[in-house]
């Protein structure tokens, strides 16, 4: 064989008890698992390389169910932010906004709309227009595997621009066609960002029709729903209801209960989901193990301020009367962009800017609306923020649920990104498993491997099992930890010496190799 892990403590992703075994790899596949090989006295598997795994855990590679690496994978072939965590697969196209399918107009607009997530893309040859062409571009060589969701906001932008109205039948048919084409070309489902323009302009009836298309192809719907604040439970119920009507599987993106209005209310969310699951709904969710959120400063504005696109938003910010109206919605009413909760400027920390003149503001808080307005104008809407509005008990309660999976929601752009981009998976296994005991090791690994693989309908990933792809992580359960902090968010984790994708080392002895083993993982 090519490789044998000898005397590994195998946590196979099923949720069952760990066991000691020799695990053999050949041709990118797991070909042999000999349990208790040393004790059994049997012939032990041999290989061209034998790696002593005594005291280390061998698990399936981790699947990041909510990633914003759409351009980062192309920009940075090293991509240690994810590879060093043991991530072997990321799901892109999140929150309803990404770079395919597009025409020239839509591509230019979406680049500006999510500059705060991914940069403006000027350093990358954006030579694709369809979902299939984007996946083909990934197949030229990337650090880790990637799946893709058709972004509903981009589809709406393509079909009808930035107008806040219901679609005509012709426009709805065009959106149906774009979603179907994306799924035919390999997308695994559809995402929405229902607090981001223009996707948030879609009424439920429109979303239901698009979800019917997703269901026809066996995909799933992944919404960033309409509120994580004042209307959170109502927004969750809305997504459950419309996907049940459409017959579509539902995966709830970064399923948090944030802001003061939701402190201690995670059990209410889980009761809602348990009732739907008992009635036959197909639901899963992802979370990250941190309390602050991260988004763009632009995202906090009321939806009407985004109608017409980025240039129209800038014009509104320049006009004193309109800017005052925006302030009133933000500070007094609670804008839909800020989840119906009046903004508390003290919770808003600047994580990244596009305009280099503003670099000195990174890491500081936004004290008031005049400052926020100047930032938006001077940075041309490209400012990224942390929003310190979460609750630790809600985080712990939700991660225990039986349909929970892990998703970093990691924005890699900006000088001071959220540490979840570099630390989510070791944070789960170090802090929440070893240090706090919120989950057992076996439970947590299942949350990060086989559960997301089942949602993605991957027939040969997510388990340490003979015949499965050799996407594997070898880590030390006694030392694994996130190195990323809010002060130093780009610090790599410790305790993860080896990571393999299709049997090839992308991390070896704790260092990133030059191997680009990743490719697109397409809906089969």
């Amino acid at each position: 064989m090519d490789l044998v892990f000898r005397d590994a403590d195998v946590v196979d992703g099923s949720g069952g008890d760990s066991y000691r075994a020799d695990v053999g790899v050949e041709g990118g596949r797991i070909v042999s698992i000999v349990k208790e090989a040393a004790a059994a006295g049997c012939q032990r598997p041999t290989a061209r390389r034998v790696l002593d795994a005594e005291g280390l855990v061998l698990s399936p590679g981790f699947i990041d169910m909510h990633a914003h690496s759409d351009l980062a994978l192309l920009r940075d072939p090293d991509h240690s932010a994810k590879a060093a965590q043991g991530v072997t697969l990321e799901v892109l196209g999140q929150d309803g906004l990404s770079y395919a399918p597009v025409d020239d107009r839509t591509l230019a607009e979406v680049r500006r709309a999510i500059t705060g997530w991914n940069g403006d893309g000027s350093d990358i040859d954006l030579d694709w227009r369809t979902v299939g062409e984007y996946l083909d571009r990934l197949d030229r060589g990337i650090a880790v595997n990637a799946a893709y969701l058709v972004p509903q906001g981009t589809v709406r932008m393509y079909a009808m621009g930035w107008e806040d109205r219901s679609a005509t039948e012709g426009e709805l048919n065009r959106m149906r066609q774009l979603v179907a084409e994306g799924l035919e070309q390999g997308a695994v489902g559809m995402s929405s960002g229902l607090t981001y323009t223009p996707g948030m302009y879609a009424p439920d009836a429109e979303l239901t029709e698009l979800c019917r298309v997703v269901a026809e192809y066996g995909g799933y719907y992944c919404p960033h729903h309409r509120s994580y604040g004042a209307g959170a439970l109502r927004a969750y119920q809305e997504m459950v209801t419309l996907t049940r009507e459409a017959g579509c599987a539902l995966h709830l993106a970064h399923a948090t209960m944030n802001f003061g209005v939701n402190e201690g209310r995670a059990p209410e969310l889980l009761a809602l989901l348990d009732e739907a699951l008992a009635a036959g709904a197909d639901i899963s969710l992802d979370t990250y193990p941190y309390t602050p959120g991260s988004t763009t400063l632009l995202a906090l504005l009321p939806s009407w301020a985004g109608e017409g696109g980025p240039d129209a938003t800038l014009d509104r910010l320049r006009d004193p009367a309109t800017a005052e109206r925006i302030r009133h919605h933000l500070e007094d009413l609670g804008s839909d962009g800020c989840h119906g909760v009046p903004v508390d400027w003290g919770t808003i920390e600047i994580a990244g800017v596009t305009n280099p003149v503003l670099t000195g503001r990174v890491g500081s808080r936004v004290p008031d609306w005049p400052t926020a307005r100047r930032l938006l104008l001077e940075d041309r809407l490209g400012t990224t923020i942390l929003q310190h509005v979460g609750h630790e008990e809600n985080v712990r309660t939700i991660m225990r649920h039986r349909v929970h999976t892990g998703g970093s929601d990691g924005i890699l752009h900006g000088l001071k990104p959220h540490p979840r981009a570099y630390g989510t998976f070791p944070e789960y296994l170090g802090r929440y498993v070893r240090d706090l005991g919120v989950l057992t090791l076996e439970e947590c690994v299942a949350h990060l491997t086989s559960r997301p693989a089942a949602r993605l309908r991957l027939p040969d990933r997510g388990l340490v099992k003979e015949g499965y792809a050799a996407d594997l992580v070898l880590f030390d359960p006694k030392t694994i930890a996130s190195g990323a902090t809010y002060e130093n968010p780009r610090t790599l984790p410790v305790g993860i010496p080896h990571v393999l994708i299709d049997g090839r080392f992308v991390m070896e002895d704790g260092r990133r190799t030059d191997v680009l083993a990743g490719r697109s993982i397409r809906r089969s």
Side-chain angles (χ1 to χ4, degrees):
M1 289 180 283
D2 299 328
L3 171 69
V4 167
F5 293 96
R6 181 146 291 170
D7 290 323
D9 291 326
V10 177
V11 179
D12 65 9
S14 69
D17 292 341
S18 63
Y19 56 86
R20 174 168 286 210
D22 291 355
V23 178
V25 173
E26 185 172 8
R29 296 273 158 180
I30 300 166
V31 295
S32 173
I33 300 175
V34 181
K35 295 184 178 181
E36 301 294 345
C42 59
Q43 179 68 36
R44 304 189 74 169
T46 59
R48 285 178 285 280
R49 178 177 180 182
V50 176
L51 201 159
D52 181 7
E54 178 76 32
L56 301 178
V57 168
L58 184 68
S59 80
F62 307 136
I63 298 176
D64 188 341
M65 286 296 287
H66 193 103
H68 287 285
S69 305
D70 307 50
L71 297 186
L73 275 168
L74 302 175
R75 177 181 292 120
D76 177 21
D78 181 78
H79 205 51
S80 289
K82 294 301 178 69
Q85 293 185 62
V87 172
T88 57
L89 170 60
E90 298 183 277
V91 184
L92 313 177
Q94 298 288 350
D95 295 331
L97 289 167
S98 190
Y99 304 92
V102 292
D103 56 10
D104 291 348
R105 171 191 62 82
T106 307
L107 179 59
E109 292 176 346
V110 78
R111 284 174 59 185
R112 292 189 62 190
I114 54 175
T115 292
W117 294 355
N118 298 302
D120 66 8
S122 59
D123 56 334
I124 296 172
D125 181 10
L126 305 175
D127 59 353
W128 63 84
R129 293 297 179 269
T130 68
V131 170
E133 289 169 351
Y134 174 68
L135 297 178
D136 289 344
R137 177 67 180 277
L138 297 179
D139 283 340
R140 296 182 197 175
I142 49 177
V144 304
N145 294 322
Y148 189 75
L149 297 164
V150 178
Q152 170 260 331
T154 301
V155 165
R156 198 173 211 267
M157 195 188 309
Y158 193 157
M160 56 183 295
W162 294 76
E163 296 185 48
D164 184 1
R165 60 173 176 82
S166 297
T168 66
E169 188 60 30
E171 290 165 342
L172 181 56
N173 284 336
R174 179 61 172 141
M175 285 188 272
R176 288 190 186 103
Q177 178 187 19
L178 290 168
V179 172
E181 288 173 353
L183 291 159
E184 288 171 358
Q185 293 163 13
V188 295
M190 181 180 76
S191 74
S192 284
L194 300 179
T195 64
Y196 299 125
T197 58
M200 69 191 300
Y201 298 145
D204 285 1
E206 180 181 309
L207 297 172
T208 301
E209 288 305 307
L210 298 182
C211 282
R212 293 188 199 281
V213 177
V214 175
E216 288 174 9
Y217 286 88
Y220 68 92
Y221 181 42
C222 180
H224 164 128
H225 50 273
R226 298 192 194 275
S227 176
Y228 289 82
L233 291 174
R234 182 171 64 253
Y236 282 113
Q237 185 62 64
E238 175 189 17
M239 295 299 101
V240 170
T241 299
L242 76 83
T243 50
R244 290 298 302 276
E245 183 177 344
C248 184
L250 172 64
H251 180 84
L252 295 165
H254 40 61
T256 56
M257 292 289 287
N258 288 341
F259 302 92
V261 295
N262 289 318
E263 185 172 3
R265 299 187 70 187
E268 295 177 58
L269 165 62
L270 300 184
L272 183 159
L273 298 182
D274 285 338
E275 181 179 356
L277 289 162
D282 183 357
I283 301 174
S284 55
L285 58 87
D286 65 68
T287 69
Y288 46 83
Y290 300 88
T291 52
S294 181
T295 185
T296 61
L297 187 58
L298 167 67
L300 304 186
L301 303 188
S303 57
W304 57 262
E307 187 173 9
D311 286 331
T313 300
L314 289 168
D315 288 342
R316 292 184 179 103
L317 288 165
R318 292 187 189 101
D319 178 67
T322 310
E324 170 56 24
R325 185 180 168 213
I326 293 173
R327 184 211 63 78
H328 175 60
H329 277 256
L330 277 168
E331 295 184 349
D332 301 330
L333 302 180
S335 77
D336 47 5
C338 197
H339 309 279
V341 178
V343 67
D344 175 358
W345 293 114
T347 67
I348 308 301
E349 178 183 355
I350 301 169
V353 294
T354 301
N355 183 348
V357 174
L358 301 170
T359 298
R361 301 299 305 273
V362 174
S364 65
R365 300 288 172 129
V366 179
D368 50 32
W369 167 241
T371 303
R373 181 188 176 196
R374 285 197 303 273
L375 270 172
L376 288 163
L377 288 169
E378 293 173 15
D379 209 22
R380 295 189 61 80
L381 312 180
T383 306
T384 308
I385 62 170
L386 301 186
Q387 196 169 13
H388 296 267
V389 293
H391 305 286
E392 178 66 20
E393 188 53 42
N394 283 350
V395 170
R396 297 187 192 190
T397 298
I398 294 169
M399 73 170 63
R400 294 186 185 103
H401 197 269
R402 66 186 185 280
V403 300
H404 170 266
T405 67
S408 71
D409 197 12
I411 295 174
L412 297 167
H413 179 66
L415 289 177
K416 198 168 181 268
H418 196 303
R420 67 194 186 191
Y422 283 72
T424 286
F425 295 86
E427 185 78 355
Y428 268 120
L429 293 163
R431 175 170 165 75
Y432 285 92
V433 170
R434 181 189 61 238
D435 299 342
L436 298 176
V438 175
L439 294 167
T440 68
L441 179 60
E442 290 84 355
E443 287 172 332
C444 189
V445 168
H447 289 214
L448 306 181
T449 59
S450 64
R451 287 190 191 172
R455 167 52 72 220
L456 295 167
R457 300 192 175 185
L458 303 179
D460 60 352
R461 296 176 196 270
L463 293 170
V464 179
K465 185 176 180 179
E466 290 181 1
Y468 273 51
D471 292 359
L472 297 167
V473 181
L474 192 69
F475 66 89
D476 185 341
K478 299 181 294 298
T479 64
I480 188 171
S482 171
T485 65
Y486 294 101
E487 293 74 25
N488 297 290
R490 295 187 185 276
T491 306
L492 296 180
V494 296
I496 308 177
H498 301 292
V499 181
L500 290 82
I501 295 178
D502 286 336
R504 302 170 67 192
F505 284 91
V506 296
M507 296 292 298
E508 189 170 12
D509 295 321
R511 295 185 295 274
R512 177 74 174 93
T513 70
D514 60 1
V515 170
L516 297 177
R519 59 184 175 86
S520 67
I521 302 297
R522 309 194 189 206
R523 186 193 62 83
S524 60

